[in-house]
DNA sequence: TTCATAACTGAACATCCGTTCAGATCAAAG
DNA sequence: CTTTGATCTGAACGGATGTTCAGTTATGAA
């Protein structure tokens, strides 16, 4: 009389609409926490609650898993940005960009972390894609600064460098902000906007 | 009659004063390029020109290799900073800090990259040590800002946040600056100082 | 020239890695 | 109830991982 508790096949209640997103969420969290190279497919599978082989119903390989997460993040970023109505005044546009950048990134700490730290773990072709999307996002900021300079509203020595400096300052908020801290997101936005406003002032 | 070209022991010309530094340099370069977790002891050994086992004459284990590199970098940072004569005027101190930070970091791109990206690969005890050193460095900037605010020279809403924002902006220079570019290091220093000066202006 | 020791090799250890796949079981449609 | 396809298991693949160590040779001092 033998009884096998562990089955060797499809498990009760299993459904790709549930497992699929769980694979992505779990991979994102583990990649953010420990790094892509340090996380094994078996670890991801264990946290999802399946065997490692089952992951390959949802991704072609580990590299695609990383790339799809980063690609999805960048698409979300550009889509969300495009959904904001375009303004005219460079100062208002810069304030809008600043506030958008901060709250968008603070709501996606894991994705931001992975999208920056794991660039070197992308294959060359995948890297080129992500890099292109990132560039597209930064180009808007550069355009804002250029327009502001042209209209005599901003005092910026080098537009390209200032673009990267502003992005670096803004993204840096993700290293210290925690939701349970003393400041709300809008308060943080205002503090950074005050700094950025002065940084580019004439 | 047999002849063995490959020896099984100490190689001609081998000396720890030469191999030791080469191990450290090679590990730093590979960790910066591919990440700690993605680099194997055998890869490091191959680039140094020894077998993997020989590395253990120079480090207790892989974790110590990483920690010693980061620890060495932070010590260098604090020592180099301490060697600069202390000034009185907060504005002059902030300019000095800005210029120091930029050229020190631009001269050590690999070490900067590793010291930031590989924090999560440190054991908890090692992490605490590095974190403490980093905090000590940032504390000087915070003191400068606090003094400047007290003397009415700076207009800063939140000293702690501004400290981190300034550091983030400054360190961001390492992501784009390359030695063969169009700007010299002093020129880059001046551009960033101009931005920082305005960022904290009253 | 002798000899201690510094420096390294080569092999081995147990364990982990990403990925594949035949087969088993479940879910859902007919 | 039957059937089809979706979902997962468990085992296996070849190879890589960090680390240890007995043995071997070069070095440099005595």
């Amino acid at each position: 009389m033998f009884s096998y508790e562990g089955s060797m096949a499809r498990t009760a209640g299993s459904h790709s609409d549930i497992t699929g997103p769980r694979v992505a969420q779990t991979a994102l969290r583990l990649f953010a926490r420990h790094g892509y190279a340090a996380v094994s497919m078996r670890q991801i599978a264990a946290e999802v609650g399946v065997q490692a082989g089952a992951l390959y119903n949802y991704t072609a390989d580990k590299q695609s898993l990383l790339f799809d997460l980063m690609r999805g993040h960048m698409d979300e970023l550009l889509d969300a940005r495009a959904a904001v109505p375009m303004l005219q005044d460079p100062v208002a546009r810069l304030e809008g960009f600043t506030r958008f950048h901060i709250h968008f990134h603070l709501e996606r700490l894991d994705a931001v972390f992975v999208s920056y730290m794991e660039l070197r773990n992308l294959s060359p072709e995948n890297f080129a894609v992500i890099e292109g999307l990132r560039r597209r996002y930064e180009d808007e900021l550069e355009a804002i600064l250029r327009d502001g300079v042209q209209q005599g509203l901003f005092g910026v020595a080098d537009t390209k460098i200032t673009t990267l400096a502003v992005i670096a300052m803004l993204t840096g908020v993700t290293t210290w902000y925690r939701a349970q801290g003393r400041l709300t997101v809008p308060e943080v936005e205002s503090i950074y906007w005050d700094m950025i406003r002065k940084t580019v002032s004439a």
Side-chain angles (χ1 to χ4, degrees), chain A residues 14 22-23 27 59-60 64 69 74 76 79 118 121 141 169 173 180 186 191 196:
Chain A
S14 62
R22 274 174 50 83
V23 168
T59 185
S64 300
L69 288 171
M74 295 308 295
E76 254 197 291
D79 289 352
E118 306 299 349
N121 287 115
L141 176 56
M169 178 187 279
V173 74
Q180 63 272 32
I191 292 174
I196 297 293

Side-chain angles (χ1 to χ4, degrees), chain A residues 39 75 175:
Chain A
V39 174
D75 285 346
T175 62

Side-chain angles (χ1 to χ4, degrees), chain A residues 119-132:
Chain A
L119 282 169
R120 61 182 166 191
N121 287 115
L122 291 174
S123 69
E125 315 87 61
N126 287 345
F127 176 81
V129 173
I130 301 298
E131 189 67 3

Side-chain angles (χ1 to χ4, degrees), chain A residues 41-42 45 50-59:
Chain A
M41 296 299 271
R42 283 174 177 82
V50 297
Q51 296 299 313
L55 297 181
Y56 291 85
N57 291 327
Y58 303 97
T59 185

Side-chain angles (χ1 to χ4, degrees), chain A residues 2-16:
Chain A
F2 304 98
S3 97
Y4 298 97
E5 270 200 279
S7 65
M8 297 172 60
R10 180 167 187 171
T11 54
S14 62
H15 202 305
S16 62

Side-chain angles (χ1 to χ4, degrees), chain A residues 173-202:
Chain A
V173 74
T174 58
T175 62
W176 60 266
Y177 182 85
R178 290 302 103 103
Q180 63 272 32
R182 59 184 164 93
L183 295 168
T184 66
V185 173
E187 285 170 345
V188 174
E189 288 178 15
S190 295
I191 292 174
Y192 274 84
W193 166 234
D194 193 49
M195 289 191 287
I196 297 293
R197 185 181 50 75
K198 291 191 289 181
T199 303
V200 303
S201 65

Side-chain angles (χ1 to χ4, degrees), chain A residues 94 97-98 101 134 137-149 153-171 192-193 195-202:
Chain A
L94 183 59
F97 185 92
T98 297
H101 189 92
R134 193 182 58 86
Y137 179 69
E138 294 175 357
D139 279 349
E140 189 203 340
L141 176 56
E142 195 180 339
I144 293 172
L145 294 180
R146 233 182 308 111
D147 291 354
V149 169
L153 298 167
F154 298 153
V156 165
D158 187 302
T159 311
K160 270 193 201 311
I161 292 178
T162 304
T163 298
L164 296 173
V166 167
I167 295 264
M169 178 187 279
L170 291 179
T171 305
Y192 274 84
W193 166 234
M195 289 191 287
I196 297 293
R197 185 181 50 75
K198 291 191 289 181
T199 303
V200 303
S201 65

